[in-house]
Amino acid sequence: MAETTETGLPRAVAIAWGMQEVPQRGPNRGLSHERIVAAAIEIADAQGLSAVTMQAVATSLGFTTMSLYRYVSGKDELLRLMQDAAIAVPEKVSLPGDWREALRVWAGLVRDAFRGHPWVLGIPRGQVSVLMPNSVRVADLGLAALRDLPLDDEEKIGVILTVSQYVTSTVELELSLADEGTVAVTQEGLDLLGQVVTPDRYPHLAPVLMAGNYLETQPVAPGADEGIDTEYEFGLELIISGLEQRVRGEPARGAGDIA
Amino acid sequence: MAETTETGLPRAVAIAWGMQEVPQRGPNRGLSHERIVAAAIEIADAQGLSAVTMQAVATSLGFTTMSLYRYVSGKDELLRLMQDAAIAVPEKVSLPGDWREALRVWAGLVRDAFRGHPWVLGIPRGQVSVLMPNSVRVADLGLAALRDLPLDDEEKIGVILTVSQYVTSTVELELSLADEGTVAVTQEGLDLLGQVVTPDRYPHLAPVLMAGNYLETQPVAPGADEGIDTEYEFGLELIISGLEQRVRGEPARGAGDIA
DNA sequence: ACACTCGGTGTATGACATACACAGATTCGC
DNA sequence: GCGAATCTGTGTATGTCATACACCGAGTGT
């Protein structure tokens, strides 16, 4: 993790917060971090993360590949900037007073953010990520949602962490299922699988699998898979009601000490 | 998603289940899928996923790069085989009768599996992944744990999905924090961040950040970060007690329809 | 005016995945 | 047992990427 010169902050963090001193003595700059990141995001949105190459970004801006390196130290840094820039949350957010409702709204914000730029999930989150502007914003909103909850700060952080992990996992699942509406296995393949996934070896799963309740053998119409939404809510409500019970004075099994 | 010739199964699935007919007419094979995957896993364990190149795997086996392509159609297929082979679960697993306890044990199994080979998290999970042997095994065990729970199959699938998502997210978090014990930001950097993360812009997070409760500025001794464990249990108990409340007859907000 | 610094560019390098064609081995049909 | 078909392992070649390096010319501070 490259530290920015002088200050004790990673370069990507400094750049994202606009704390990177702009050089004075050279020619005028033809590009900016913002334009580069925006171009990269546009490519990722259109053609996926794998299409984001230094060359693609540069030529889409009308510059040469190497010019980008005057702004970012390498591709990793660019990816980190994209990762944060892509999950912007609306300027104005009004959270309901009730923490349950507020948490649902907040989770929805996070979910929408990731669903809007699903490739973000393909970029590993590091220690640096949480220091980026939008991550900070989201975390702040999350704490705001839990304002009235009788938990200490560390526990609240634990909660928003758990929820956001859950949300992103759900989006990831949704993606892997959608995947161009492709189907991994046909009915014929399923039958074949039945030869090895036998009820005696997998007593609990085999029946479900054979009944066709475990995976699709038909292409899912895009958007028509409302199962995802109900699944999402199912899990979220699980967490919320668990939390409800927790603050109601249930014996605490674990208190979060978050790093 | 390459389908296996003839059958309606993806090649990786057929291979993993040993359903790939072995050719008869050629010279004897010097390698096997098992050996290749094992070698690749060994490299990943030792030097991370990025060190797994076709060349590295091949030379570690004393063969040339291209020889691997006689066994796997490409790197993707190899990765998928690794992904499944690495998360093996003990042969004999005894799950407690009480579903709460059983679910804890099951979650622990999943957690241990991923912690043993953390690089697995770096391989995207696709539709194919759930059809691989160990995934099937884990799913079966999950359903076994929930045996006595008054939910239908689809809901149970939803539960084990939620739990395994949660567990993997936790492991991922743990990793990003550990990351060689590196610290992303020094105390000096934290002070600098205070110039932009101000209490008026981030009223809820800023105090937490400045208090040092949001991230570490000291290297975490490996293994000494017990905060992770309590955090893990915290979230898991959240889900479990949510589930408890759910089956106790709470109004269902969502019923899972899992693909 | 001069030296210093910086931006954009061209070229070069090295890592990787993978296509292709070849030579020898093995087995099948007869 | 023999020839054809098929498969294995290999060497070579290609295309994609990220990125190091050195150059030129544009601005800036003195």
Side-chain angles (χ1 to χ4, degrees):
Chain A
M1 297 302 153
E3 308 271 346
T4 200
T5 48
E6 315 297 301
T7 76
L9 285 177
R11 259 183 61 100
V13 176
I15 293 174
W17 285 102
M19 303 180 80
Q20 184 79 337
E21 316 117 34
V22 192
Q24 293 304 323
R25 322 175 230 291
N28 294 331
R29 308 190 109 180
L31 281 171
S32 67
H33 294 114
E34 288 76 13
R35 285 187 61 200
I36 292 174
V37 172
I41 288 179
E42 198 171 340
I43 293 173
D45 282 339
Q47 308 162 54
L49 197 55
S50 65
V52 177
T53 77
M54 291 289 154
Q55 183 164 8
V57 174
T59 56
S60 90
L61 288 164
F63 284 76
T64 57
T65 308
M66 291 311 292
S67 65
L68 298 187
Y69 287 88
R70 296 287 175 197
Y71 298 83
V72 283
S73 67
K75 195 179 184 182
D76 283 351
E77 202 170 282
L78 175 58
L79 288 176
R80 203 142 275 149
L81 292 170
M82 293 171 64
Q83 178 181 49
D84 188 68
I87 56 164
V89 166
E91 274 295 323
K92 286 276 170 203
V93 174
S94 71
L95 292 169
D98 178 60
W99 67 264
R100 282 158 285 246
E101 206 44 55
L103 197 53
R104 288 190 194 104
V105 171
W106 181 76
L109 285 177
V110 176
R111 189 177 186 225
D112 291 342
F114 281 99
R115 296 223 286 185
H117 303 282
W119 45 263
V120 173
L121 295 169
I123 306 175
R125 285 184 75 79
Q127 290 173 298
V128 175
S129 307
V130 296
L131 297 178
M132 303 290 280
N134 281 319
S135 278
V136 166
R137 177 90 199 294
V138 168
D140 185 69
L141 286 174
L143 288 181
L146 302 180
R147 185 179 345 130
D148 296 333
L149 217 56
L151 297 175
D152 62 41
D153 288 339
E154 290 174 353
E155 288 172 319
K156 286 183 186 172
I157 298 275
V159 172
I160 67 175
L161 213 55
T162 299
V163 173
S164 68
Q165 282 171 358
Y166 170 71
V167 172
T168 54
S169 299
T170 305
V171 176
E172 209 157 32
L173 174 70
E174 181 179 358
L175 284 186
S176 71
L177 293 185
D179 241 353
E180 302 182 45
T182 329
V183 168
V185 61
T186 64
Q187 182 59 47
E188 188 193 359
L190 195 59
D191 294 340
L192 202 63
L193 253 192
Q195 296 177 12
V196 282
V197 185
T198 53
D200 62 305
R201 271 187 282 186
Y202 304 95
H204 302 89
L205 183 66
V208 183
L209 180 65
M210 287 305 115
N213 288 331
Y214 187 56
L215 41 78
E216 303 287 348
T217 54
Q218 299 289 322
V220 183
D225 50 348
E226 62 177 49
I228 289 289
D229 285 346
T230 53
E231 163 67 12
Y232 162 76
E233 287 170 18
F234 177 78
L236 182 58
E237 295 306 317
L238 229 52
I239 297 177
I240 289 179
S241 57
L243 197 53
E244 209 162 23
Q245 191 163 338
R246 173 85 160 67
V247 297
R248 226 189 264 142
E250 216 69 8
R253 271 191 69 103
D257 185 322
I258 298 310
Chain B
M1 296 294 156
E3 307 270 345
T4 201
T5 48
E6 314 298 301
T7 77
L9 285 177
R11 260 182 60 99
V13 175
I15 293 174
W17 284 103
M19 303 180 78
Q20 184 79 335
E21 313 116 37
V22 191
Q24 294 303 324
R25 322 177 229 289
N28 294 331
R29 310 189 104 180
L31 282 172
S32 66
H33 294 116
E34 288 76 14
R35 284 188 62 200
I36 292 174
V37 172
I41 288 178
E42 199 172 338
I43 293 174
D45 281 339
Q47 311 164 54
L49 196 56
S50 64
V52 177
T53 79
M54 291 292 159
Q55 184 164 9
V57 174
T59 56
S60 90
L61 288 164
F63 284 76
T64 58
T65 309
M66 291 311 292
S67 65
L68 300 187
Y69 288 88
R70 296 285 174 201
Y71 300 82
V72 286
S73 68
K75 195 180 184 182
D76 284 352
E77 202 169 283
L78 175 58
L79 288 176
R80 201 141 276 150
L81 292 170
M82 292 171 64
Q83 178 182 49
D84 189 68
I87 56 163
V89 164
E91 273 298 321
K92 286 276 172 204
V93 174
S94 70
L95 293 168
D98 178 61
W99 67 264
R100 281 156 286 245
E101 205 44 54
L103 197 53
R104 288 189 193 105
V105 170
W106 181 77
L109 285 177
V110 177
R111 189 177 187 226
D112 290 343
F114 281 100
R115 297 222 286 184
H117 304 282
W119 45 263
V120 173
L121 295 169
I123 305 174
R125 284 184 76 80
Q127 290 173 296
V128 175
S129 308
V130 295
L131 297 178
M132 303 290 280
N134 281 318
S135 279
V136 167
R137 176 92 200 292
V138 168
D140 186 68
L141 285 174
L143 288 179
L146 302 180
R147 184 179 346 131
D148 295 333
L149 216 56
L151 296 175
D152 61 41
D153 287 340
E154 291 175 350
E155 288 171 318
K156 286 182 187 173
I157 299 274
V159 171
I160 67 176
L161 212 54
T162 300
V163 173
S164 68
Q165 283 171 358
Y166 169 72
V167 172
T168 54
S169 299
T170 305
V171 176
E172 209 159 31
L173 174 70
E174 181 178 357
L175 284 185
S176 73
L177 293 184
D179 241 354
E180 302 183 43
T182 331
V183 168
V185 60
T186 63
Q187 182 58 47
E188 188 191 0
L190 195 59
D191 294 341
L192 202 63
L193 252 193
Q195 296 177 12
V196 282
V197 185
T198 54
D200 61 306
R201 272 188 280 186
Y202 305 94
H204 302 90
L205 183 66
V208 183
L209 180 65
M210 287 306 116
N213 288 331
Y214 188 55
L215 40 78
E216 302 287 347
T217 55
Q218 299 289 322
V220 182
D225 51 349
E226 63 176 49
I228 288 291
D229 285 345
T230 55
E231 163 67 9
Y232 162 76
E233 287 171 17
F234 177 79
L236 182 58
E237 294 307 317
L238 231 51
I239 296 176
I240 289 179
S241 58
L243 198 52
E244 209 162 24
Q245 192 163 337
R246 172 87 160 64
V247 297
R248 227 188 264 140
E250 215 69 9
R253 272 188 68 105
D257 185 321
I258 297 310

